[in-house]
Amino acid sequence: MKLSQFKFKLPESQVAMEPVFRAFNNPDGTVEKVYSRDNCRLMVVHRKSQTIDMYKKDAEGNGLTDAQGNPQYMTFRDVVNYFDEGDVFIFNDTRVFPARLYGTKEKTDAKIEVFLLRELNEELRLWDVLVEPARKIRIGNKLFFENDGPMVAEVIDNTTSRGRTLRFLYDCPHDVFKSQLFALGEAPLPRYIVDHRPADADDMENFQTIYAKNEGAVTAPSTGLHFSRELMKIMEIRGIESAFLTVHCGLGNFDPIEVEDLTKHKMNSEQMHVGADTCKTVNRAKQGGHRVCAVGVSTVRATETAVGTDGMLKEYEGWTNKFIFPPYDFSMANCMISNFYHPESVMLMTTAAFGGYDVVMEAYNLAVRNGYRFGCYGDALLIVDD
């Protein structure tokens, strides 16, 4: 397929800047926000029947309305109504670290954004980073991250146009260094958010799934952000199983695609791990004819990387640069949950490959017309195999 087939007009007002919340006015005049992970809207695509659900229904299938007679949109909490005992959800349990830091360049005091990508050498304190503005940062420059503090880094290599290798000059045990480094950082929100507002204290919690475990991601597996502890407890009570794998989500999902022919686009690699317990849980469900639901594009990419020729999930330790776009024959999951993503994004392409291009693009058109919210803090789309 072609890049231009994934264009659509997305009003800026529908790009979510923060999760769904309720605001309460305090006596002192301040406003307190109470965020609700599972209270975003949910749309459901039935990929075989090519139908789309947006509204709540009663047990007889009749649409529910509010006090004004308007149809009630489904919320993410309704996702459990599409699954039964024995079905399994596959989650990505990567943990986001506070990757965005701000420092100053020696002598000029120019403000520099440093985005940590990954640690290259623990002993030497070497990190692969992106810097902005890159034109001001050359090999040999030093960056200071606290006015009077000890955190200093030296640029020792250029890796890409914006990429640099930094050596942090900080003499202490590694765990102390890393703790101090992360204390200077903030939640690595996507650029489309931080260009409109700064990250705040709530974001480090909101931009982390409740089941995050293995540190290494520089952006959240955003579909998983909708799952609350209450919702996962309901799933457990209903006998819906959970399985976990790890994909350390990188920035490649946000890189603009610069070729019209999608077969020529190359994804950046992401480190991933699929363990034996996850394989056992998922394969048991699949062999039993139950639904296997991949939560998010990163999970879809990982399961399609680790699936065997027999259609069963295999243990895997390594990297994946799999880029999935239509047409694609999926071998593992038969259900998928995603967010609503930006035009021409790789996440939209993977979603369209899973659900079918025509019905997914129709779902996106409905989402725009009905005011659904897009992006990592936006609304959700469930694709089921019926």
Side-chain angles (χ1 to χ4, degrees), residues 262-299:
L262 297 181
T263 63
K264 296 180 180 179
H265 176 68
K266 303 299 181 184
M267 286 284 293
N268 290 335
S269 295
E270 295 175 328
Q271 192 173 9
M272 60 170 282
H273 169 76
V274 181
D277 288 345
T278 293
C279 293
K280 182 179 178 180
T281 300
V282 171
N283 292 337
R284 181 176 64 240
K286 188 167 184 180
Q287 290 167 341
H290 297 287
R291 283 180 163 167
V292 175
C293 183
V295 178
V297 168
S298 63
T299 302

Side-chain angles (χ1 to χ4, degrees), residues 219-231:
T219 188
S222 57
T223 303
L225 299 178
H226 301 304
F227 285 85
S228 65
R229 287 177 176 81
E230 295 78 11
L231 180 58

Side-chain angles (χ1 to χ4, degrees), residues 8 16 18-19 37 40-43 76 190 192 206-207 220-227 254 294-298 336-342 345-352 360 363-364 367 372-383:
F8 63 93
E18 56 188 329
R37 289 178 178 266
C40 70
R41 289 194 204 174
L42 175 71
M43 187 183 295
F76 193 75
Y192 62 79
N206 290 336
F207 204 55
S222 57
T223 303
L225 299 178
H226 301 304
F227 285 85
F254 299 103
V295 178
V297 168
S298 63
M336 173 189 180
I337 308 175
S338 71
N339 281 22
F340 286 96
Y341 299 109
H342 283 69
S345 64
V346 298
M347 291 86 76
L348 166 57
M349 295 169 188
T350 300
T351 305
V360 167
Y364 268 63
Y372 282 66
R373 301 162 77 242
F374 284 67
C376 65
Y377 282 152
D379 295 318
L381 176 68
L382 167 65
I383 301 172

Side-chain angles (χ1 to χ4, degrees), residues 128-201:
D128 185 19
V129 307
L130 299 176
V131 294
E132 187 70 37
R135 66 182 184 280
K136 295 184 177 181
I137 304 301
R138 297 184 174 88
I139 294 175
N141 289 158
K142 286 188 172 65
L143 300 174
F144 297 85
F145 294 93
E146 298 174 285
N147 291 334
D148 300 315
M151 192 66 71
V152 181
E154 180 182 12
V155 181
I156 65 170
D157 195 14
N158 297 328
T159 54
T160 63
S161 59
R162 293 176 56 220
R164 303 289 186 271
T165 301
L166 296 187
R167 179 171 61 221
F168 284 90
L169 311 175
Y170 198 87
D171 187 16
C172 66
H174 181 262
D175 58 341
V176 176
F177 157 71
K178 203 166 184 181
S179 175
Q180 294 294 320
L181 179 65
F182 285 179
L184 297 171
E186 64 182 32
L189 300 177
R191 178 59 60 185
Y192 62 79
I193 293 180
V194 296
D195 282 349
H196 289 84
R197 70 163 180 89
D200 58 33

